[in-house]
Amino acid sequence: MKFSVYKDLLKRYHADESTKVERQLVDIWYDSFEEERAVAEVRPGEEEKLRVKERLRKHIDANKQEEPKLKRNKQKRLAPWLRVAAAVIMLILGITWFKPTDFGLPSRKYRTKEPIVMHFSTNSGEYKTVKLSDGSVVTLNANSSLVLKDGYGEKQRFVQLRGEAFFEIRPLADRPFWVQTDELFIQVLGTSFNVKAYDYRPKAEITVSTGRVQVSSENKGQSLLLHRGDGYIYDRANKQFRKKAVPATLAWRDGSISLAQVSFSELALCFRDVYGISLISTDAAVLSHRYTLKLKYERSASQTLEIICHMLNKQYRKEANGSLNIF
């Protein structure tokens, strides 16, 4: 079967357009990533690949010969056939001999030496969607930037993110997609996920909407495989991951952030995410208050701050360093 057939299958899977049988088949392939996390030191040669193909062919022929005996219960016969089909797909794609960790980190030249060929960024209170040359789509949140290095899409797809972005990645099995933040590397084949990694925040966050992604920390070598609906926080102080509740929607993509009973410190972080301005206070009432409001991108920083001060019956002033102080 042609390589393009398998690419189309993965594309339909990640677009939620595949049939039940196709989805089961791809799920089996993905599950194989978790059954053995060890990285193969040596890839098999062509001779070994031919032997595996021959064994698969004999297995398939044997199953075909037994089909008439199993006609009375087609449903029970489905799972073994799916496993055989999944094995064939992995063989054709060359995926039998690598796991997500097998890619290692992207080539150092993509991370350091290669010149920047494209740069996207957003200002305060702004978000934008960009389409990359491989068909992938990235939506940048406010005060964020995305950098593409020379050679993007040729052998590796490697980008650097500062801030927050939602990624919808076109599946290309032979060219994994990498996102680098200050301390994390995120690898995918084709999926959609959100990364929040503002450099002033003490934690980075990753949320997976569809498919699966692998997240690695460079310093301590930790690695996690995240599934659809998973969310994790990476604590920069102790270099540890922990699971987090996943929001039903990512409201910032519609131009607002909803806060419910949050602390002043969380309010200040979100305010900086949207407007790029630090919010401070030494007032006890301000620091102890729990905040419920919506930060709308269409409002200016001063308009939003007026609302907050009205809630508290307080005032604010701009400090010499540009931060806004509520008192």
mmCIF file of all heavy atoms in Angstrom, residues 206-224:
data_model
loop_
_atom_site.group_PDB
_atom_site.id
_atom_site.type_symbol
_atom_site.label_atom_id
_atom_site.label_comp_id
_atom_site.label_asym_id
_atom_site.label_seq_id
_atom_site.Cartn_x
_atom_site.Cartn_y
_atom_site.Cartn_z
ATOM 1 N N ILE A 206 0.940 22.719 29.837
ATOM 2 C CA ILE A 206 0.693 22.056 28.557
ATOM 3 C C ILE A 206 -0.648 21.356 28.636
ATOM 4 O O ILE A 206 -0.910 20.609 29.591
ATOM 5 C CB ILE A 206 1.795 21.023 28.217
ATOM 6 C CG1 ILE A 206 3.187 21.673 28.257
ATOM 7 C CG2 ILE A 206 1.535 20.405 26.855
ATOM 8 C CD1 ILE A 206 3.904 21.454 29.571
ATOM 9 N N THR A 207 -1.509 21.580 27.650
ATOM 10 C CA THR A 207 -2.820 20.946 27.590
ATOM 11 C C THR A 207 -3.017 20.344 26.206
ATOM 12 O O THR A 207 -2.800 21.021 25.200
ATOM 13 C CB THR A 207 -3.947 21.972 27.855
ATOM 14 O OG1 THR A 207 -3.691 22.626 29.102
ATOM 15 C CG2 THR A 207 -5.298 21.291 27.897
ATOM 16 N N VAL A 208 -3.445 19.079 26.151
ATOM 17 C CA VAL A 208 -3.622 18.380 24.874
ATOM 18 C C VAL A 208 -5.106 18.302 24.531
ATOM 19 O O VAL A 208 -5.911 17.795 25.315
ATOM 20 C CB VAL A 208 -3.018 16.961 24.928
ATOM 21 C CG1 VAL A 208 -3.209 16.248 23.596
ATOM 22 C CG2 VAL A 208 -1.534 17.037 25.278
ATOM 23 N N SER A 209 -5.476 18.800 23.355
ATOM 24 C CA SER A 209 -6.864 18.753 22.900
ATOM 25 C C SER A 209 -7.152 17.495 22.077
ATOM 26 O O SER A 209 -8.181 16.852 22.251
ATOM 27 C CB SER A 209 -7.203 19.998 22.066
ATOM 28 O OG SER A 209 -7.095 21.163 22.853
ATOM 29 N N THR A 210 -6.241 17.166 21.148
ATOM 30 C CA THR A 210 -6.405 15.951 20.333
ATOM 31 C C THR A 210 -5.038 15.289 20.162
ATOM 32 O O THR A 210 -4.007 15.937 20.219
ATOM 33 C CB THR A 210 -6.983 16.278 18.939
ATOM 34 O OG1 THR A 210 -6.072 17.131 18.231
ATOM 35 C CG2 THR A 210 -8.341 16.950 19.039
ATOM 36 N N GLY A 211 -5.056 13.982 19.928
ATOM 37 C CA GLY A 211 -3.822 13.252 19.691
ATOM 38 C C GLY A 211 -3.001 13.102 20.959
ATOM 39 O O GLY A 211 -3.527 13.090 22.073
ATOM 40 N N ARG A 212 -1.677 12.981 20.806
ATOM 41 C CA ARG A 212 -0.768 12.786 21.933
ATOM 42 C C ARG A 212 0.522 13.560 21.674
ATOM 43 O O ARG A 212 0.943 13.721 20.545
ATOM 44 C CB ARG A 212 -0.438 11.307 22.127
ATOM 45 C CG ARG A 212 -1.697 10.456 22.224
ATOM 46 C CD ARG A 212 -1.383 9.021 22.502
ATOM 47 N NE ARG A 212 -2.609 8.230 22.425
ATOM 48 C CZ ARG A 212 -2.730 6.991 22.825
ATOM 49 N NH1 ARG A 212 -1.693 6.372 23.336
ATOM 50 N NH2 ARG A 212 -3.865 6.345 22.721
ATOM 51 N N VAL A 213 1.111 14.030 22.748
ATOM 52 C CA VAL A 213 2.384 14.737 22.638
ATOM 53 C C VAL A 213 3.336 14.227 23.711
ATOM 54 O O VAL A 213 2.907 13.721 24.748
ATOM 55 C CB VAL A 213 2.230 16.279 22.780
ATOM 56 C CG1 VAL A 213 1.197 16.824 21.831
ATOM 57 C CG2 VAL A 213 1.892 16.660 24.214
ATOM 58 N N GLN A 214 4.616 14.357 23.451
ATOM 59 C CA GLN A 214 5.620 14.016 24.449
ATOM 60 C C GLN A 214 6.305 15.282 24.907
ATOM 61 O O GLN A 214 6.735 16.104 24.092
ATOM 62 C CB GLN A 214 6.654 13.049 23.890
ATOM 63 C CG GLN A 214 7.716 12.676 24.931
ATOM 64 C CD GLN A 214 8.501 11.456 24.532
ATOM 65 O OE1 GLN A 214 7.965 10.370 24.385
ATOM 66 N NE2 GLN A 214 9.786 11.629 24.337
ATOM 67 N N VAL A 215 6.404 15.447 26.229
ATOM 68 C CA VAL A 215 7.011 16.628 26.832
ATOM 69 C C VAL A 215 8.254 16.202 27.589
ATOM 70 O O VAL A 215 8.213 15.255 28.376
ATOM 71 C CB VAL A 215 6.031 17.336 27.789
ATOM 72 C CG1 VAL A 215 6.658 18.611 28.349
ATOM 73 C CG2 VAL A 215 4.722 17.644 27.084
ATOM 74 N N SER A 216 9.356 16.887 27.356
ATOM 75 C CA SER A 216 10.613 16.557 28.018
ATOM 76 C C SER A 216 11.203 17.803 28.649
ATOM 77 O O SER A 216 11.128 18.892 28.083
ATOM 78 C CB SER A 216 11.629 15.981 27.013
ATOM 79 O OG SER A 216 11.101 14.853 26.358
ATOM 80 N N SER A 217 11.789 17.623 29.840
ATOM 81 C CA SER A 217 12.532 18.713 30.468
ATOM 82 C C SER A 217 14.008 18.477 30.205
ATOM 83 O O SER A 217 14.512 17.373 30.415
ATOM 84 C CB SER A 217 12.267 18.751 31.978
ATOM 85 O OG SER A 217 12.689 17.560 32.586
ATOM 86 N N GLU A 218 14.689 19.505 29.749
ATOM 87 C CA GLU A 218 16.082 19.332 29.349
ATOM 88 C C GLU A 218 17.006 19.137 30.547
ATOM 89 O O GLU A 218 17.930 18.333 30.519
ATOM 90 C CB GLU A 218 16.552 20.535 28.532
ATOM 91 C CG GLU A 218 17.917 20.338 27.904
ATOM 92 C CD GLU A 218 18.260 21.471 26.956
ATOM 93 O OE1 GLU A 218 17.684 22.556 27.096
ATOM 94 O OE2 GLU A 218 19.102 21.256 26.080
ATOM 95 N N ASN A 219 16.737 19.834 31.644
ATOM 96 C CA ASN A 219 17.664 19.807 32.784
ATOM 97 C C ASN A 219 17.739 18.456 33.482
ATOM 98 O O ASN A 219 18.807 17.932 33.748
ATOM 99 C CB ASN A 219 17.262 20.891 33.805
ATOM 100 C CG ASN A 219 17.529 22.282 33.271
ATOM 101 O OD1 ASN A 219 18.299 22.447 32.338
ATOM 102 N ND2 ASN A 219 16.878 23.270 33.834
ATOM 103 N N LYS A 220 16.566 17.859 33.796
ATOM 104 C CA LYS A 220 16.581 16.618 34.562
ATOM 105 C C LYS A 220 16.207 15.407 33.710
ATOM 106 O O LYS A 220 16.121 14.293 34.209
ATOM 107 C CB LYS A 220 15.620 16.732 35.759
ATOM 108 C CG LYS A 220 16.071 17.752 36.782
ATOM 109 C CD LYS A 220 15.250 17.675 38.041
ATOM 110 C CE LYS A 220 15.534 16.439 38.842
ATOM 111 N NZ LYS A 220 14.869 16.436 40.160
ATOM 112 N N GLY A 221 15.948 15.632 32.434
ATOM 113 C CA GLY A 221 15.688 14.521 31.540
ATOM 114 C C GLY A 221 14.360 13.819 31.752
ATOM 115 O O GLY A 221 14.180 12.681 31.324
ATOM 116 N N GLN A 222 13.398 14.466 32.417
ATOM 117 C CA GLN A 222 12.084 13.865 32.607
ATOM 118 C C GLN A 222 11.324 13.870 31.295
ATOM 119 O O GLN A 222 11.487 14.762 30.474
ATOM 120 C CB GLN A 222 11.290 14.639 33.662
ATOM 121 C CG GLN A 222 11.910 14.626 35.040
ATOM 122 C CD GLN A 222 11.063 15.432 36.006
ATOM 123 O OE1 GLN A 222 10.114 14.949 36.583
ATOM 124 N NE2 GLN A 222 11.423 16.689 36.172
ATOM 125 N N SER A 223 10.450 12.867 31.116
ATOM 126 C CA SER A 223 9.693 12.769 29.878
ATOM 127 C C SER A 223 8.302 12.227 30.175
ATOM 128 O O SER A 223 8.152 11.256 30.919
ATOM 129 C CB SER A 223 10.421 11.855 28.894
ATOM 130 O OG SER A 223 9.721 11.804 27.665
ATOM 131 N N LEU A 224 7.283 12.857 29.611
ATOM 132 C CA LEU A 224 5.897 12.433 29.807
ATOM 133 C C LEU A 224 5.213 12.291 28.455
ATOM 134 O O LEU A 224 5.450 13.086 27.540
ATOM 135 C CB LEU A 224 5.123 13.466 30.631
ATOM 136 C CG LEU A 224 5.488 13.658 32.107
ATOM 137 C CD1 LEU A 224 4.671 14.813 32.665
ATOM 138 C CD2 LEU A 224 5.224 12.395 32.899
#
